[in-house]
Amino acid sequence: MKQVAVITGAASDIGRGLAERFAAEDMAVVLADIEAKPLFTLETDLRAKGATVLAVQTDVSNADSVENLAVQTYNTFGAVHILCNNAGVVCSRPIWEHTLADWEWVLGVNLWGVIHGIRTFVPRLLAQETECHIVNTASILGLIRGPGEGIYKVSKHGVIALSETLADDLAHKNSKNSGACVVSWVGTHRYFNLCPKPSRY
């Protein structure tokens, strides 16, 4: 049975890179993105290379949409071994000039997207009783201060705090099958080793 990876924000950038790498490792890949055209183009491209792929158009800011992603994934493959809460957007201007819509959009995708991913998938991962890994994409801007990109910084600070707490909660539960890791991306990537890396990967 193939190992299964779920990637949100899979149609471009980091997400696409993750999908291509997991497919190259002969994993089944579940692609989730709100942008239909690049999402299904990537699905076609990966299948042409022999990959096992499921594409599900998903709005990570919407709990029901993420639930649909989980249902389709488990109906198709029966398990998930890597969950990458990766979808992200940015809006850059002085923080007092951001509209309410700006706040709702960026926090909805960047922070609530991770929250929905955790609430929806982690109970299922724990029930599998198999080794799993959760990767939440953050940013160096979740660790530093400075002018500009205020909402983005707020969201990524939140993702880091959320991921650290998730790792601690899993450790407190003495869960041997699931761990959490946050990834900070700034040109190259840095790993915060919040949990043991599953041996399969």
Side-chain angles (χ1 to χ4, degrees):
M1 176 182 172
K2 288 180 181 286
Q3 302 288 288
V4 181
V6 176
I7 308 106
T8 68
S12 61
D13 302 326
I14 295 170
R16 183 180 180 113
L18 289 169
E20 291 173 341
R21 181 53 189 264
F22 291 143
E25 293 291 325
D26 196 33
M27 297 182 69
V29 181
V30 180
L31 311 172
D33 204 288
I34 198 170
E35 300 289 344
K37 185 175 180 179
L39 173 66
F40 294 115
T41 297
L42 177 58
E43 179 187 33
T44 300
D45 291 347
L46 291 178
R47 281 189 175 162
K49 297 175 182 177
T52 302
V53 186
L54 171 68
V56 183
Q57 188 173 11
T58 305
D59 176 1
V60 297
S61 70
N62 182 283
D64 290 339
S65 186
V66 178
E67 175 65 23
N68 175 64
L69 171 65
V71 168
Q72 290 204 45
T73 297
Y74 277 85
N75 284 347
T76 303
F77 298 115
V80 171
H81 302 92
I82 296 183
L83 169 65
C84 297
N85 292 307
N86 168 74
V89 294
V90 64
C91 184
S92 183
R93 61 180 66 141
I95 199 164
W96 61 88
E97 293 182 4
H98 284 301
T99 65
L100 180 58
D102 292 338
W103 282 97
E104 291 173 341
W105 178 52
V106 177
L107 293 181
V109 175
N110 293 7
L111 183 55
W112 275 102
V114 179
I115 293 169
H116 292 320
I118 290 170
R119 291 188 66 255
T120 303
F121 280 92
V122 170
R124 289 174 165 96
L125 299 181
L126 292 172
Q128 287 176 195
E129 296 185 351
T130 57
E131 194 170 48
C132 305
H133 199 50
I134 303 151
V135 180
N136 301 324
T137 303
S139 167
I140 191 66
L141 294 183
L143 299 170
I144 64 173
R145 56 174 291 181
E149 299 179 332
I151 306 176
Y152 184 81
K153 288 174 182 170
V154 168
S155 70
K156 294 305 183 178
H157 274 81
V159 169
I160 290 173
L162 180 60
S163 302
E164 290 175 338
T165 303
L166 174 61
D168 290 341
D169 284 348
L170 290 170
H172 182 72
K173 182 180 173 59
N174 293 319
S175 172
K176 296 180 180 180
N177 58 303
S178 294
C181 183
V182 61
V183 186
S184 176
W185 293 85
V186 51
T188 56
H189 58 269
R190 296 171 54 196
Y191 287 95
F192 294 82
N193 294 313
L194 304 178
C195 63
K197 186 177 181 182
S199 57
R200 169 64 177 79
Y201 313 107

